[in-house]
Amino acid sequence: MLTVEKIGGTSMLQFQTVLNDIIGFPSSEGFRYGRVFVVSAYAGVTNMLLEDKKTKAAGIYQRFIKGEDYETAMDDLLSEALKINDTFIDLGLNPKVCRVFIVERVMQTKAYLNSMEDIIASGYVGRDSIYSAARELLASIGEAHSAFNTVNILRNNGILAELVDLTGFRDSKQLSISDRIEKSFKNINPQEAIIVATGYTKGIEGIMRQYERGYSEITFSKIATHLAADEAIIHKEYHLSSADPKIVGVDKAIPVGRTNYDVADQLADIGMEAIHPNASKPLEIAGINLRIKNTFEPNHPGTVISNDYIGPQAKIEIIAGSDKIVVLEIHDTSMVGESGFDLDIMKKFKMYNISYIMKTTNANSISLVIWQADLDQALVSELEAEYRTVTVQEAAIVCAIGSNIAMPRILARAANALAKNNINIKCVSQSLRQVNMQFVIDREMYAKAIISLNEDLCWGNQE
């Protein structure tokens, strides 16, 4: 049995639980080798390195590209990393060895950034390429830190463990991401030790440049497919549930036992990622099942995502959505009967690198739901110059998703659940495949809508 398993940053920060309940000890029941762990940076560290994922507060990278004091921020990062190390001493972490590693990594990175500043000042190299390299370099520190610490703790607990550092920190070879993984695992035998790999992989295509903050799942997926794993596992803070436990309450969030990759894609499209969509595709093509597990409930089997699963009974599996979207509507009376009218609109969306979440049309109007963060006033101005009426409205989207929801009255039931709670539906969409019903509603009604749909379609419909 060979499994490739990813551990997220929140779980890594609570490594006592990871050690006791996920990895285990040689003397404990169920302990085995044949496991490759791909680790994220400790929670909060990548925010310090780049920028806060939610608030966008500047991290080291943002300070660097703005010409601000990034060296002090790097010193703060090192201080935080050493504080994290101190919390793991009782677990067996050797503070001296691990201190030397992270101090050397941070100091060398600071030297690299100083050199990059000089190169930028020379005017001979484009800023964009330097900034991209700096972002890649900084992102790698977090995973290198957590992976090194993990191997140190495991070895000091009598567990055979080996580090696979994919960051290529001192490796000047120009390798693709896939080639670096293949080269790094060439002489590795996962059956002889617990393998710990960094979630960041250095590659000529730039893993940050291509996948941004989802890069650790790309590494995880590529390792799983390269090694032809029997199963891929992601350990998260919560179960993949019928709805967000933070909104509906843990007691009303029903763990999803099984689903398929199509459902996983629907979730990713609205920002509720079970797995990054670019990471799920290789697993799907290779026929490798993905299991989502709750770090803090190790005995629960979690959710198995596979290629061909269709629920034996028609039902809604997951209620999800976002309150960070806007509806952009183009209304023009010349649209009716005009073939390809929306082609120019789509070309503009492509030019501004905007992917829509949902699209609905009638004779004279096209409504497109996009992320608010992607809204560009220049795009709106272009559209206003060409079409009769362009409306932009802040809103929320809620979705009822399942592997088998093609049943009579389910759309009416969902709409009724919203109506009886005085939630007005602004737009609605469902494709012929019938895996996802999407409703656009007033933003302030978002939480109420999630609770209402979960209560009516999931909680009240348990087997």
Side-chain angles (χ1 to χ4, degrees):
M1 179 73 173
L2 172 62
T3 55
V4 175
E5 310 180 35
K6 180 182 175 293
I7 304 178
T10 300
S11 298
M12 287 299 294
L13 205 55
Q14 300 187 53
F15 197 76
Q16 175 80 65
T17 300
V18 172
L19 184 59
N20 290 341
D21 297 338
I22 295 177
I23 299 175
F25 299 90
S27 59
S28 61
E29 183 181 353
F31 177 86
R32 64 177 176 86
Y33 291 108
R35 306 177 79 182
V36 177
F37 289 95
V38 180
V39 298
S40 296
Y42 297 114
V45 169
T46 306
N47 286 346
M48 294 183 71
L49 286 163
L50 304 177
E51 63 278 318
D52 191 289
K53 194 173 182 179
K54 293 182 179 179
T55 69
K56 305 303 179 185
I60 295 166
Y61 171 74
Q62 292 296 334
R63 292 175 183 274
F64 175 74
I65 66 172
K66 292 174 183 176
E68 299 174 354
D69 177 16
Y70 64 85
E71 294 198 37
T72 299
M74 291 205 73
D75 293 338
D76 292 341
L77 170 78
L78 180 56
S79 176
E80 181 62 26
L82 293 173
K83 287 178 183 177
I84 291 172
N85 286 9
D86 288 343
T87 66
F88 299 137
I89 292 174
D90 289 344
L91 298 183
L93 179 137
N94 184 319
K96 183 177 180 180
V97 171
C98 293
R99 178 187 179 90
V100 169
F101 175 83
I102 190 60
V103 168
E104 190 274 339
R105 188 65 62 107
V106 171
M107 290 300 103
Q108 187 60 55
T109 299
K110 187 184 289 189
Y112 285 150
L113 292 179
N114 289 338
S115 298
M116 288 179 184
E117 273 194 311
D118 293 338
I119 294 171
I120 290 170
S122 74
Y124 286 106
V125 180
R127 288 176 178 268
D128 288 348
S129 60
I130 296 295
Y131 290 160
S132 178
R135 190 168 179 82
E136 299 281 340
L137 175 64
L138 286 165
S140 73
I141 295 174
E143 277 77 17
H145 176 218
S146 60
F148 186 89
N149 283 2
T150 298
V151 170
N152 183 264
I153 293 170
L154 296 184
R155 288 176 174 174
N156 292 334
N157 279 278
I159 299 169
L160 298 175
E162 190 165 346
L163 172 65
V164 176
D165 188 347
L166 297 168
T167 65
F169 190 69
R170 293 188 180 279
D171 185 354
S172 61
K173 292 184 178 67
Q174 296 295 298
L175 301 173
S176 69
I177 294 167
S178 295
D179 286 345
R180 186 173 299 280
I181 288 172
E182 182 179 353
K183 177 176 178 286
S184 299
F185 277 89
K186 187 174 183 179
N187 298 313
I188 296 293
N189 185 349
Q191 300 299 337
E192 295 180 351
I194 296 291
I195 309 302
V196 181
T198 56
Y200 176 91
T201 305
K202 180 182 178 182
I204 53 176
E205 59 270 59
I207 200 166
M208 279 293 302
R209 189 161 59 246
Q210 285 206 354
Y211 306 109
E212 269 298 323
R213 299 287 279 269
Y215 62 83
S216 62
E217 291 187 355
I218 302 299
T219 295
F220 157 76
S221 173
K222 285 183 177 290
I223 291 174
T225 52
H226 172 69
L227 297 177
D230 294 297
E231 188 173 73
I233 303 171
I234 296 180
H235 300 275
K236 288 180 172 282
E237 183 181 0
Y238 291 107
H239 290 293
L240 180 61
S241 302
S242 62
D244 186 344
K246 294 177 183 176
I247 295 176
V248 303
V250 175
D251 60 324
K252 291 291 181 73
I254 308 160
V256 176
R258 293 199 66 185
T259 193
N260 59 40
Y261 280 109
D262 194 354
V263 168
D265 287 344
Q266 305 303 318
L267 294 173
D269 197 43
I270 52 171
M272 181 184 165
E273 290 182 4
I275 183 173
H276 192 288
N278 292 110
S280 68
K281 287 304 156 200
L283 297 175
E284 184 178 354
I285 292 168
I288 298 173
N289 288 355
L290 172 66
R291 189 181 297 270
I292 309 294
K293 293 202 67 174
N294 185 333
T295 299
F296 307 104
E297 289 188 39
N299 296 323
H300 193 287
T303 304
V304 176
I305 301 174
S306 58
N307 273 339
D308 53 3
Y309 177 80
I310 300 294
Q313 291 185 329
K315 68 175 183 177
I316 300 299
E317 296 169 6
I318 301 170
I319 305 299
S322 175
D323 59 354
K324 296 177 176 59
I325 59 99
V326 295
V327 183
L328 196 160
E329 183 175 82
I330 297 96
H331 172 77
D332 198 306
T333 54
S334 63
M335 186 184 302
V336 61
E338 188 72 24
S339 63
F341 187 89
D342 62 345
L343 179 59
D344 286 339
I345 298 172
M346 293 300 97
K347 285 181 177 178
K348 292 184 190 302
F349 269 57
K350 183 175 177 59
M351 184 173 66
Y352 283 89
N353 196 31
I354 296 174
S355 175
Y356 62 82
I357 301 167
M358 171 180 160
K359 178 181 177 183
T360 62
T361 68
N362 63 26
N364 295 320
S365 300
I366 299 175
S367 297
L368 297 126
V369 176
I370 66 173
W371 294 107
Q372 183 163 9
D374 290 340
L375 182 65
D376 193 311
Q377 189 54 48
L379 168 63
V380 177
S381 297
E382 282 194 36
L383 293 171
E384 287 175 334
E386 292 191 33
Y387 303 106
R388 182 171 179 177
T389 306
V390 176
T391 304
V392 177
Q393 190 174 109
E394 294 183 353
I397 186 170
V398 290
C399 306
I401 303 169
S403 60
N404 180 6
I405 64 172
M407 50 182 162
R409 296 188 297 277
I410 187 63
L411 180 59
R413 186 172 163 187
N416 185 59
L418 297 173
K420 68 185 182 184
N421 284 280
N422 296 314
I423 300 170
N424 181 46
I425 298 171
K426 293 175 173 290
C427 305
V428 63
S429 174
Q430 178 178 268
S431 72
L432 182 63
R433 192 171 175 83
Q434 296 189 62
V435 292
N436 186 1
M437 294 182 292
Q438 300 174 298
F439 303 95
V440 176
I441 60 172
D442 289 325
R443 183 171 288 185
E444 62 269 20
M445 292 292 186
Y446 175 67
K448 188 176 182 180
I450 294 288
I451 293 168
S452 301
L453 290 172
N454 181 64
E455 185 78 29
D456 194 286
L457 303 179
C458 300
W459 183 253
N461 196 35
Q462 295 184 77
E463 296 176 11

